[in-house]
Amino acid sequence: MASPIGHALAGLAVAWGADLVPGNRAWRFAPPSASWYERAGNGLTLACAVLAAAPDLDLPFGRVHRTVTHSLVSVIAVAAVAGLTAARARLPVRRLVIMCAGAWATHLLVDWLSADQSTPRGIQLLWPFDDRWFISGWDLFIGSERRDLFSAPTMRRNLEAIAQEVAILLPIVVVLWSVRVKALAGFSSQLTGSDHPAK
Ligand SMILES: [Zn+2]
């Protein structure tokens, strides 16, 4: 199972990747003079990073871990809450549903691609209809250790896991960020009222 840092990076990738999809998104962009937080997509981008890591909040609940919150049902539940919230806030429903449910779903994907030292290995993707555990077996991410968190071997292992996640996911996030900045320069011009929007 990957670390919260790896999961959060995947959530950022979804937020900024979704901003590249054409449609109603001018509201997502701030002019270059705005703060970094606003230019990064403010609270919704942060929410995507948090949502991507949030399924592991089931960790303290022992046997429940990697079941309810790691299922397709949980993705649908997040989509429903995001849709209702977006409708209330008069924001584009479909875009918010894709971003929030997509961010949550990356957690399932990253865990599925990760090595898992626990038994049974993997996630109960089809909970509550099927109690089988799913894992790719590809061990793309070496996975973090959650037991004896402050012992030297665990800390070393987790630093390695985080370094590997950052090495794989950060380049993707950086590319998405730079493409997003270029693709959306036009929106910034509109927001600042420029007569000469960037080409
Ligand atoms: Zn997990």
Side-chain angles (χ1 to χ4, degrees):
M1 305 283 107
S3 78
I5 293 172
H7 285 301
L9 283 173
L12 282 184
V14 168
W16 292 338
D19 284 337
L20 299 181
V21 179
N24 179 0
R25 59 201 167 129
W27 56 279
R28 285 280 292 151
F29 304 104
S33 55
S35 68
W36 269 101
Y37 180 68
E38 285 174 293
R39 291 178 62 207
N42 56 55
L44 183 54
T45 300
L46 188 63
C48 285
V50 171
L51 282 169
D56 280 344
L57 289 174
D58 66 355
L59 261 170
F61 302 99
R63 289 176 62 84
V64 181
H65 182 43
R66 294 176 289 119
T67 62
V68 189
T69 60
H70 289 61
S71 67
L72 291 176
V73 166
S74 69
V75 177
I76 294 167
V78 171
V81 172
L84 287 172
T85 308
R88 278 193 168 192
R90 297 180 186 279
L91 289 170
V93 170
R94 197 176 57 176
R95 187 170 289 272
L96 257 85
V97 164
I98 289 171
M99 289 173 90
C100 295
W104 189 277
T106 61
H107 187 104
L108 280 52
L109 177 67
V110 169
D111 275 358
W112 181 73
L113 290 169
S114 301
D116 190 356
Q117 312 303 327
S118 54
T119 18
R121 297 166 68 233
I123 57 174
Q124 273 193 351
L125 190 65
L126 302 179
W127 179 95
F129 308 107
D130 189 324
D131 58 6
R132 272 181 295 166
W133 296 79
F134 293 85
I135 190 161
S136 66
W138 299 344
D139 297 357
L140 178 65
F141 300 99
I142 60 175
S144 56
E145 175 59 62
R146 310 288 168 88
R147 289 161 291 192
D148 299 326
L149 265 184
F150 298 105
S151 71
T154 298
M155 284 170 40
R156 197 164 48 235
R157 162 69 182 236
N158 286 344
L159 281 176
E160 273 174 29
I162 291 168
Q164 192 219 15
E165 291 159 11
V166 169
I168 293 174
L169 294 168
L170 189 62
I172 298 172
V173 169
V174 168
V175 167
L176 285 169
W177 167 259
S178 44
V179 175
R180 177 182 183 269
V181 167
K182 285 199 181 77
L184 304 165
F187 287 124
S188 292
S189 310
Q190 287 169 26
L191 290 171
T192 51
S194 165
D195 291 327
H196 303 286
K199 292 278 188 303

